[in-house]
Amino acid sequence: MTMLEEAFDLVVVGSGIAGQTAATSAAEAGLSVVLLEKTNVLGGSSSMSGGWFAFSGTEEQAAEGIEDSSELFLKDMLEVGNHLNDRGLLEAYLANQEETYRWLKAHGVAFREVEISSGQSARRSHNSVIRDVLARLHRDFTEAGGQTRLEHRAVHLTTDSSGRVAGVVTQTPAGEVTFTGHAGVVLATGGFSRGTKMLKVFAPEQLAAIPYGGKGNTGDGLRMAWKLGAGMADMSFVSGTYGSHPDTGEEFHELLTAYYMGAIIVNKDGHRFVDESQDYKTLGRVVLDQPDGLGFEIFDAKVRAKSHRGIPLKDVDTLEELGHVFKADTLEELAEAAGIRPTALVKTVERYNAAAAGTADDEVGRTNLCNGVGDLLPLDTPPFYAYPAKSLMTTTYCGVTINTNGQVVDVDGDVIEGLYAIGEVTGGFHGAAYMTGTSLGKGAVFGRIVAAHAADRATAATQV
Ligand SMILES: Cc1cc2nc3c(=O)[nH]c(=O)nc-3n(C[C@H](O)[C@H](O)[C@H](O)COP(=O)(O)OP(=O)(O)OC[C@H]3O[C@@H](n4cnc5c(N)ncnc54)[C@H](O)[C@@H]3O)c2cc1C
């Protein structure tokens, strides 16, 4: 039996970028808001992320003369998603991204670098120091009167007599507490990268990837919405992200995408097995089928020179210091050191260099470095490098269906009144695969959308 009950305008479940954006925006709009977090720390996967946000039409792009547009952004997202995305959600993102970008900047967020990355045909990944972003949002949430409860795990949604979601029951160290939200409940509980039970149901092959992501990300929100009849989307596209050293564990994360800088990827037999310019979720799926689930990023001094210390995905300097990168003056020596078949590696690089020179077709059909952009570079300048990498189960990018207001819709497409879902717990946005920066981006954009929608609802209710 529930012992305690607390009433708010809005209940936000989960404290990653999605939950914190919604909570802060709603509190600043004058709603009483409680932010519930299952673990004893704020931030979820968001705080572990690379901090890249995908935006177009920004000051940072303009300063560097980068040509981009909403149309190109939409085209890229549809192509990455294999046109299986919910176009309405993409259009809602594009219609609101500029306002969200400005709102983040108004909260002190700085974007220090703009880069091209997975699934992009223009440089639109904007890098932030994500822990700083989350800390700023939480400070402003608290200043606006928001309340935060750590170690409060939401377990059930409650409904009123009309079937509208009225609140959520939580398990806390002090027992069960129910939180009601008269303007709604927002599920921002993240994905299920740590949810062995959910992975067994939806993507058992991914249990072979290195488990990662927020410790609380076990799929609770998905389960709660599922119980109320929520629809689901993109469940068959769960994939890890390719590019993490096999020693990547619970506490330490690294990811290198040297393949977008000019590297190729070979297996232990020295053979290439995929067009490396594709998005890194697709690469993550394919590498699971290779011996030991391992792919080596092979590059030369020219690619190595593009390293950028401290910038996630591009930081070869730090990985070399950690002893995770093999280095040698010849490809044979490199292969010996890394445990790759030397003769095969030499032949593979010869073939690739011929393709880069335009004298032969590339054996895996690669024609550019990243999603249609960048010329192939011959790997011909010693020293040579090999970075062994596996697929990292960082994110699931699928889940409950929502409409463009962030309201959860059921299996028949009808709104489940009172229930919102935002961020990685939702499905439909990405389709078959993912563009870098669109997860933090969609968390923030839809966080803003649901806060505005709930604030309108709360105002309408008080006027009745
Ligand atoms: C290593 C890594 C790098 C990444 N880099 C990028 C990047 O650069 N750009 C990008 O766009 N995306 C990136 N991603 C993906 C991105 O970080 C996530 O998809 C995104 O942060 C999810 O945000 P969220 O707010 O939906 O969920 P999360 O940030 O995961 O937050 C969910 C929170 O909900 C809590 N929670 C769960 N269940 C309950 C419950 N029952 N009750 C209460 N609380 C609950 C969790 O504990 C967690 O704190 C990366 C992910 C990883 C792991």
Side-chain angles (χ1 to χ4, degrees):
M1 198 178 76
T2 299
M3 303 300 292
L4 288 170
E5 188 164 305
E6 295 191 48
F8 289 86
D9 291 330
L10 193 67
V11 180
V12 179
V13 188
S15 67
I17 187 70
Q20 292 222 32
T21 305
T24 306
S25 302
E28 289 178 346
L31 301 194
S32 66
V33 184
V34 67
L35 179 66
L36 305 174
E37 169 54 46
K38 167 182 175 176
T39 67
N40 60 2
V41 285
L42 298 173
S45 288
S46 301
S47 64
M48 305 162 80
S49 78
W52 299 98
F53 286 78
F55 293 128
S56 66
T58 64
E59 287 152 15
E60 290 75 10
Q61 284 184 320
E64 296 198 34
I66 298 166
E67 285 189 24
D68 197 7
S69 65
S70 288
E71 293 72 32
L72 189 60
F73 198 160
L74 178 64
K75 181 172 169 284
D76 285 351
M77 286 196 286
L78 286 168
E79 278 175 9
V80 176
N82 206 12
H83 292 263
L84 294 165
N85 338 45
D86 177 337
R87 197 180 169 115
L89 297 181
L90 301 183
E91 284 168 354
Y93 183 97
L94 292 168
N96 288 279
Q97 51 129 10
E98 194 183 336
E99 187 278 338
T100 302
Y101 157 81
R102 294 203 183 287
W103 182 84
L104 287 169
K105 288 192 110 175
H107 284 73
V109 174
F111 296 109
R112 52 187 179 165
E113 176 145 343
V114 193
E115 228 352 306
I116 192 165
S117 193
S118 177
Q120 300 176 352
S121 61
R123 289 164 59 202
R124 69 170 76 94
S125 288
H126 293 64
N127 193 240
S128 67
V129 179
I130 189 65
R131 285 173 185 262
D132 178 55
V133 175
L134 294 167
R136 282 171 187 276
L137 293 184
H138 193 250
R139 182 199 60 200
D140 294 342
F141 171 64
T142 308
E143 272 176 17
Q147 294 190 34
T148 304
R149 305 291 159 77
L150 296 176
E151 295 187 86
H152 278 56
R153 178 182 185 184
V155 286
H156 296 297
L157 293 164
T158 62
T159 50
D160 63 18
S161 53
S162 69
R164 181 189 159 86
V165 171
V168 68
V169 179
T170 61
Q171 284 172 347
T172 83
E176 263 187 15
V177 184
T178 296
F179 292 85
T180 58
H182 90 269
V185 173
V186 182
L187 295 175
T189 47
F192 54 93
S193 61
R194 297 280 193 169
T196 310
K197 274 190 191 165
M198 287 276 185
L199 285 172
K200 273 187 185 153
V201 174
F202 294 110
E205 73 288 353
Q206 297 298 327
L207 292 165
I210 305 169
Y212 207 66
K215 288 226 165 81
N217 291 23
T218 53
D220 296 358
L222 179 61
R223 190 185 51 76
M224 287 187 278
W226 192 358
K227 200 166 175 183
L228 291 190
M232 288 187 213
D234 301 340
M235 306 309 293
S236 54
F237 301 121
V238 176
S239 174
T241 301
Y242 170 71
S244 288
H245 191 273
D247 287 349
T248 299
E250 296 267 315
E251 303 304 335
F252 179 72
H253 152 253
E254 63 184 53
L255 194 81
L256 179 67
T257 59
Y259 38 95
Y260 297 143
M261 292 145 68
I264 56 169
I265 306 172
V266 302
N267 61 18
K268 282 170 70 173
D269 297 330
H271 300 309
R272 289 168 72 207
F273 50 89
V274 68
D275 171 355
E276 298 90 344
S277 72
Q278 295 181 83
D279 70 277
Y280 48 41
K281 288 285 184 188
T282 299
L283 303 181
R285 195 173 299 126
V286 177
V287 79
L288 288 180
D289 295 333
Q290 300 306 311
D292 300 336
L294 200 57
F296 294 82
E297 299 179 32
I298 305 289
F299 49 99
D300 69 352
K302 298 196 299 300
V303 176
R304 171 72 181 80
K306 297 183 189 177
S307 169
H308 196 154
R309 186 183 284 279
I311 298 296
L313 313 182
K314 297 180 71 177
D315 187 354
V316 186
D317 300 78
T318 301
L319 302 186
E320 225 184 325
E321 280 162 18
L322 286 169
H324 287 174
V325 184
F326 296 99
K327 175 180 173 182
D329 287 332
T330 66
L331 286 166
E332 289 88 343
E333 285 164 1
L334 183 73
E336 294 284 358
I340 306 168
R341 276 180 51 212
T343 44
L345 180 67
V346 170
K347 281 200 180 117
T348 296
V349 172
E350 274 171 15
R351 277 199 292 271
Y352 180 72
N353 288 350
T359 56
D361 286 339
D362 185 60
E363 62 177 316
V364 293
R366 186 183 196 182
T367 54
N368 52 74
L369 296 188
C370 177
N371 201 40
V373 176
D375 293 333
L376 303 190
L377 303 166
L379 299 173
D380 57 5
T381 311
F384 297 99
Y385 300 85
Y387 176 71
K390 291 192 158 189
S391 175
L392 191 69
M393 178 32 74
T394 50
T395 45
T396 43
Y397 295 146
C398 60
V400 301
T401 45
I402 53 169
N403 65 16
T404 53
N405 298 320
Q407 294 170 289
V408 176
V409 293
D410 70 13
V411 284
D412 291 329
D414 296 324
V415 168
I416 300 179
E417 288 294 339
L419 187 62
Y420 297 96
I422 50 174
E424 206 187 312
V425 69
T426 62
F429 184 88
H430 301 290
Y434 155 82
M435 176 196 292
T436 301
T438 51
S439 190
L440 292 176
K442 85 172 179 182
V445 167
F446 282 89
R448 294 282 296 152
I449 289 174
V450 299
H453 195 265
D456 284 350
R457 285 283 167 103
T459 313
T462 51
Q463 284 168 354
V464 170

